[in-house]
Amino acid sequence: MKKVPGVESIKVSLSEGMAHIQLAPGNTVSLEQLRKAVNEQGFTPKEATVVVSGNLVLNGKQTVFKVSGSSDIYEIDPTRAAKMKDKNAVTLKGLVTLPAVNGKPGHFEVKEIVES
């Protein structure tokens, strides 16, 4: 995992079945890259709690969240999207419950809109 560009440190708890991955500020590593690295270590990645910056964009008729510096896009709750419509860029803390696959957006459960 430390070979993945942008990874600063990793703490693994086998008893909890969790890995805490600290990324360098301004990194451009995608969640998919991290999931792939976890798979290569013999583990199955599940949901991920993340803090990410990006923008709301229109994807067809749906507003989605596009992570800055990557091609990752995530569906978010329309009520949360409405609260962020007036912001050019936003930082969110939340849970990625479903990763993006084959160009289809993943799902991001927003827990907090981080004020900057």
Side-chain angles (χ1 to χ4, degrees):
M1 288 290 297
K2 287 187 179 179
K3 292 181 181 179
V4 176
V7 173
E8 281 192 341
S9 67
I10 304 163
K11 292 180 185 173
V12 176
S13 170
L14 295 176
S15 63
E16 293 178 17
M18 294 181 69
H20 299 272
I21 303 168
Q22 181 69 40
L23 301 175
N27 76 81
T28 58
V29 65
S30 71
L31 186 55
E32 184 55 34
Q33 287 172 291
L34 295 173
R35 288 177 182 279
K36 183 178 177 184
V38 168
N39 265 324
E40 289 172 353
Q41 297 297 315
F43 298 98
T44 303
K46 301 213 173 159
E47 59 193 29
T49 301
V50 298
V51 177
V52 293
S53 296
N55 302 76
L56 295 178
V57 296
L58 196 58
N59 185 18
K61 294 182 180 180
Q62 181 181 23
T63 300
V64 296
F65 181 74
K66 182 176 185 319
V67 179
S68 296
S70 81
S71 60
D72 293 349
I73 58 171
Y74 295 98
E75 295 176 342
I76 58 173
D77 176 51
T79 305
R80 287 285 197 172
K83 291 180 181 180
M84 296 180 278
K85 283 233 187 250
D86 60 336
K87 300 181 186 232
N88 290 332
V90 66
T91 299
L92 302 176
K93 180 176 184 178
L95 189 66
V96 175
T97 55
L98 185 66
V101 177
N102 298 329
K104 294 180 82 175
H107 181 63
F108 189 94
E109 183 181 323
V110 177
K111 298 291 185 182
E112 179 182 349
I113 301 169
V114 180
E115 299 296 328
S116 41

